[in-house]
Amino acid sequence: MPERRRKFSPEFRDEAVKMAVGSDRPIAQVARELGINPGTLGNWVAAYRKAHPVKEEPLSVSDRARLRELERENRKLKMKNDFLGKAAAFFAQEYR
């Protein structure tokens, strides 16, 4: 027999979303405490965040410089990783 879908009042949804957004606990934990499916609460939170986007502050000059530095380092590490992966495949062929 199919399970009946539970109906939640808008007030309950609002309070559940406030609990999930206003705390540092994971959505799944809040959902367990409330006795609802984590996916359901996740959908409610996603809809709330879509309707209430958070404005991000622009990066400071030092933050932009740090970001550029990290991006440069990331590119270097990717190139090294690609090279080592190709080298490992090359040497693996020699030992067959």
Side-chain angles (χ1 to χ4, degrees):
M1 184 162 209
E3 193 174 314
R4 296 184 63 158
R5 292 180 65 157
R6 292 171 43 187
K7 299 274 185 179
F8 298 100
S9 70
E11 294 82 17
F12 179 81
R13 288 181 184 198
D14 291 343
E15 287 300 317
V17 168
K18 283 180 188 174
M19 285 179 66
V21 172
S23 70
D24 58 347
R25 297 177 308 196
I27 290 174
Q29 181 181 355
V30 174
R32 271 193 306 274
E33 291 170 4
L34 296 172
I36 59 176
N37 187 317
T40 301
L41 181 56
N43 290 338
W44 296 347
V45 169
Y48 173 82
R49 288 183 175 151
K50 187 175 181 182
H52 302 90
V54 177
K55 279 191 170 182
E56 293 184 22
E57 295 181 22
L59 295 177
S60 68
V61 175
S62 61
D63 287 341
R64 277 192 227 130
R66 179 73 176 139
L67 180 60
R68 277 194 306 274
E69 179 184 329
L70 291 172
E71 288 172 342
R72 189 177 315 118
E73 182 181 354
N74 191 23
R75 278 193 303 277
K76 279 182 169 178
L77 291 173
K78 282 182 180 181
M79 286 177 25
K80 283 183 182 180
N81 193 27
D82 290 345
F83 175 78
L84 292 175
K86 290 175 185 176
F90 174 76
F91 288 118
Q93 286 178 346
E94 284 188 3
Y95 291 110
R96 285 188 182 174

